[in-house]
Amino acid sequence: MTDLETASPTGLVPAPLSRDLGAGGTRPRTVRFGTQTALAAAPGTEDTARWLRATLGAAFALPLPPGSAEAPDTLALALDETLPAEGYRLDADARWGVRLTGGGPAGVFWGAQTLRQLLGPAAFRRAPLDPGRAPGLPEQSIEDAPRFAWRGLMLDVARHFLPKEGVLRYLDLMAAHKLNVLHLHLTDDQGWRIEIRRYPRLTATGAWRERSRLGHRHSPLWDPRPHGGHYTQDDLREIVAYAAERQITVVPEIDVPGHSQAAIAAYPELGNTDVIDTTSLKVWDTWGVSPNVLAPTDTTLRFYEHVLEEVLDLFPSRFVHLGGDECPKEQWRASPTAQARIAALSLDGEDGLQSWFIRHFDRWLTARGRRLVGWDEILEGGLAEGAVVSSWRGYAGGIAAAKAGHDVVMCPEQQVYLDHRQHASPDEPVPIGYVRTLEDVYRFEPVPPELTREQAARVLGTQANAWTEAMDSQQRLDYQVFPRLAALAEVAWSRLPAPPARDYQDFTGRMTDHYARLDALGVGYRPPGGPLPWQQRPGILGRPFDGAPPNV
């Protein structure tokens, strides 16, 4: 490899299990990449090889032609089934180059993400800053594997639509942080974002609202522009394929039986027609919890079965999220149809009716080889068999589910809701919720101490949730999500000590290197010193909560 510039040793985020930069404190030699460096891809590593040529090839003008793993000056990719499926080993030696071995295709890909970080911020650009300067890295060995199998980000594209290119960009950002689950919140009161060919009005009507509240729902300000958009089925196939190439699973969410006003506005027969005039409903233009929920009728069940048939065709994910949260019961209490259903099935009131609704789709999905995921309200009235709980209202729902033998994704609002503000300063844009700093997220622990070892194994992992009522652009989304998503990624990937013992100073030191990578990627993160002038949103009402969040 040519004797050109070397990237200095960089702080890796998330931190690997082990990293050996050479024995005895000797200064490691340098592994160089140049125009003659070959890329040898063993069977099963082809996706990572394509990704490396597309990214490192573009960033450094490197052709990376095919080569032999035994030859010097080679980046060699291989599989080793003795490693964990998502684990990898990276060996860099100046005598022969870099060997990247994974327990499976995902492990090889995550190792490639580490290699990219080692090559410096320039590796995160789309064209070479100086085509005459090639990258290098110090000799070293890294062994690594994730703590959790579910390392996710929930993107709410229903409240504010994120165009397809924005979703693809976030998949790249997730991959750079070794996150492997994109939970896509596709439907809500304020918009329906997925094309369902059998029911075209879901997007013709349900994807658009006449105006949008600016800030919190009590704000007097409005954006008078119509807002909306949706993904065609081909868009979603592209998103899913793009994610799969990056070892990311896309989990779709179709929210039922609450958060459904957009669907009812498109098809009024889905609502409680014996209580209100559902034909007068429009896609909701404000935030909060709409009282307009789905009617518990056979018509509604068949409608959503048809919707889910198309969803399953688009998303190969084993998991399908059906919401199940924040379903007001007032209309059901007033509905003769709902009360007749409760009586006929001997259900325990309206909570039992919601449980019946969710259990129906749990059985429907199970019969098709899928698993239902729902917010922790699905515990009310009895948990659906086989369902996975997204514990959002705190730890309590996840603890109860794990103790009952159900799998859990920990995403408590008080810890990892990235729409919550990052500082108490009045300069924070549209301040929502409790202050959740970068350090707060870094000290988040997904496994509650109340769980036994067997119960703790039910925690599949964790995810951060980005609700977009107050995030009306990519700029606002970036500000709320980063840099805190980097901290969540380390919590999900690395085997950290207990929260009080975590070395936050070391993490912030590594983040100094990582900010340069985010800069190269064009991420509009919150700077450590506070928002830049163009990131502030003066005069737009939020809803801040003082003090520490409750540990519930």
Side-chain angles (χ1 to χ4, degrees), residues 398-400 402-403 410 446-457 459:
I399 292 170
K403 287 184 174 181
M410 281 293 185
V447 179
E450 297 94 325
L451 299 182
T452 66
R453 182 185 297 271
E454 183 181 42
Q455 293 163 353
V459 179

Side-chain angles (χ1 to χ4, degrees), residues 2 158 176 186 202 306 392 499 528:
T2 56
L186 289 163
L202 285 172
H306 295 152
W392 78 272

